[in-house]
């Protein structure tokens, strides 16, 4: 126990169990030791501990870290409140009295924030790597499907034809914004919390610049009161996971739809599908559904953290112990989902000719025909009305654009000529696109080249 001198009784068993966070913050073992070594070196620099004591402390901490990684040390969750007390107790066992000097000028309040900052650095890098890996997977698939035509949707109604490459590149854009959010977060954790103490610093002349530099921070935090109660960075990280999972959930939903018998657009590998316990014929997109389902948990973690923070007076309150469980849960769900999504898509196959005949007859090229009229000098609102009449008349006869003739068009408006019929050919629909950012195959190729270069 790191406290207790003024207490007559030890905590009740159920109270101790209820308040212990060791099961969660044991994930911060390496970071806690890293911060402790920097703190010990600073205490040696200002003359609080001798060189011999420093070597004892750092040697002991290194051994604890090694033993933990090798599974030789696993602190008893029934005996320790948190990872800080577990490490300090083990250090006493290894080196004796010198261990008692390590906590000089330090509180668990600034210690835990420092630990989380150090952990987040690694989590941000890993998240970024996993997002980038999925981007590259999407780009590889897009490169092979520049001419794979599929319907584009608004309101879940067929709107205009696009390509599979173009569709997947939309997710590449989303995921780049995800990476930018994590990159922004790096800047918010660039100041060192170590040395802030419980809430008001210390009367001991701690060299916070020294520990800040040792741990790779730009500078120390400026206000200890804010430092120990700040969890904005956790909210920022959780929000980054929320939006990242939101994007994965949207893609998962489309994979579920695309893999259905009705769509028959994607075939998932057996390695990333499951069957039914009752129906032998079933092959279910369960991994996509699980990503979609776990998104709700990540959303909930953000709301739980925001709710915890909303009424906390300055500075530290024990409520904040809940932060790490939410943080780790969202992080592991997010990076696992990214990995699963990447592997699921890498091993999937697409039915590249699925929509050619179907789109050749539907009304998804109506806008192209209206724009043809615009280029002939017809105001767009008039062109919109004219093409609307054409669609209405075809529907009344249970026909579509594949049944259309020049005579039929001229009955609607004499301005139509043979060139108008070319607007209704699905095979050349994408090539006719003129605007930057459209699914024109040449533009899509350029976009793929841009991302390949940028993701190097």
């Amino acid at each position: 126990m790191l406290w207790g001198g003024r207490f007559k009784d030890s905590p009740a068993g159920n109270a101790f169990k209820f308040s212990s966070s060791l099961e969660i913050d044991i994930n911060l073992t390496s970071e806690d030791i890293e911060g402790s070594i920097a703190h010990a070196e600073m205490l040696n620099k200002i003359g609080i501990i001798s060189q011999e004591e420093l070597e004892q402390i750092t040697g002991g901490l290194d051994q604890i870290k090694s033993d933990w990684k090798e599974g030789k040390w696993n602190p008893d969750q029934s005996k320790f409140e948190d990872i800080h007390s577990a490490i300090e107790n083990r250090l006493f066992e290894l080196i004796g009295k010198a261990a008692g000097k390590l906590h000089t000028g330090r509180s668990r309040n600034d210690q835990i924030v420092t630990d989380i900052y150090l952990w987040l650095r690694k989590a941000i890098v890993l998240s970024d790597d996993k997002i980038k890996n999925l981007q590259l997977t999407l780009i590889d698939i897009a490169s092979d499907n520049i001419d794979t035509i599929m319907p584009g949707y608004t309101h879940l109604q067929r709107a205009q034809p696009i390509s599979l490459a173009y569709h997947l590149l939309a997710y590449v854009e989303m995921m780049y914004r995800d990476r930018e959010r994590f990159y922004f977060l790096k800047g918010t954790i660039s100041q060192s919390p170590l040395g802030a103490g419980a809430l008001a610093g210390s009367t001991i002349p701690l060299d916070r610049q020294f520990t800040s530099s040792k741990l790779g921070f730009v500078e120390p935090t400026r206000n200890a009161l804010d430092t120990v109660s700040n969890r904005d960075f956790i909210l920022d990280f959780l929000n980054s996971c929320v939006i990242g999972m939101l994007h994965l959930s949207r893609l998962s939903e489309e994979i579920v739809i695309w893999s259905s018998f009705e769509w028959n657009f994607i075939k998932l590998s057996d390695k990333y599908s499951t069957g039914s316990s009752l129906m032998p014929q079933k092959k279910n997109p369960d991994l996509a559904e699980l990503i979609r389902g776990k998104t709700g948990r990540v959303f909930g973690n953000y709301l739980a953290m925001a709710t915890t923070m909303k009424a906390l007076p300055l500075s530290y309150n024990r409520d904040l112990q809940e932060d790490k469980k939410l943080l780790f849960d969202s992080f592991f769900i997010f990076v696992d989902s990214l990995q699963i999504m990447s592997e699921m898509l890498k091993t999937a196959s697409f039915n590249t000719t699925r929509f050619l005949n179907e789109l050749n007859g539907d009304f998804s090229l109506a806008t192209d025909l209206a724009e043809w009229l615009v280029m002939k000098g017809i105001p767009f609102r008039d062109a919109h009305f004219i093409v609307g009449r054409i669609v209405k008349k075809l529907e009344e006869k249970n026909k579509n654009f594949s049944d259309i003739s020049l005579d039929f068009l001229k009955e609607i408006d004499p301005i139509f000529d043979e060139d108008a019929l070319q607007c209704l050919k699905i095979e050349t629909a994408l090539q006719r696109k003129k605007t930057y950012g459209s699914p024109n195959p040449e533009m899509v190729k350029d976009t793929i080249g841009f991302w390949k270069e940028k993701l190097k």
Side-chain angles (χ1 to χ4, degrees), residues 210-227:
F210 177 87
T211 51
S212 175
S213 177
K214 272 284 179 183
L215 293 172
F217 292 104
V218 174
E219 61 185 351
T221 55
R222 287 183 295 272
N223 186 294
L225 192 66
D226 173 62
T227 299

Side-chain angles (χ1 to χ4, degrees), residues 139-266:
I139 289 167
D140 283 344
I141 299 171
S143 298
D144 294 331
N145 289 279
I146 294 170
D147 297 312
T148 299
I149 291 180
M150 63 178 289
Y153 287 80
T154 61
H155 310 279
L156 208 56
Q157 304 292 319
R158 287 190 180 179
Q160 292 180 282
I162 59 173
S163 66
L164 175 58
Y166 184 72
H167 190 104
L168 296 180
L169 288 173
Y171 285 101
V172 175
E173 298 280 349
M174 291 183 210
M175 289 168 191
Y176 186 71
R177 295 195 295 273
D178 293 337
R179 293 178 66 194
E180 286 187 315
R181 269 180 284 275
F182 283 107
Y183 183 78
F184 165 80
L185 181 57
K186 288 176 70 175
T188 69
I189 56 172
S190 62
Q191 295 178 319
S192 173
L194 194 55
L199 76 161
S202 175
T203 59
I204 299 168
L206 306 176
D207 190 339
R208 295 191 64 204
Q209 293 287 353
F210 177 87
T211 51
S212 175
S213 177
K214 272 284 179 183
L215 293 172
F217 292 104
V218 174
E219 61 185 351
T221 55
R222 287 183 295 272
N223 186 294
L225 192 66
D226 173 62
T227 299
V228 299
S229 60
N230 172 29
R231 294 299 184 274
D232 293 355
F233 58 95
I234 291 183
L235 284 169
D236 284 337
F237 186 87
L238 292 176
N239 181 59
S240 297
C241 291
V242 161
I243 300 176
M245 285 299 294
L246 183 152
H247 293 155
L248 291 179
S249 185
R250 295 181 73 181
L251 180 53
S252 295
E253 171 73 6
E254 295 191 317
I255 289 171
V256 170
I257 294 171
W258 293 351
S259 65
S260 67
F261 179 83
E262 287 72 19
W263 260 76
N264 188 29
F265 191 46
I266 188 174

Side-chain angles (χ1 to χ4, degrees), residues 382-398:
D382 293 341
H384 188 286
F385 183 78
I386 291 169
V387 176
R389 285 179 57 208
I390 293 171
V391 171
K392 180 182 177 184
K393 202 164 186 178
L394 287 170
E395 283 185 329
E396 287 172 351
K397 296 182 177 181
N398 198 26

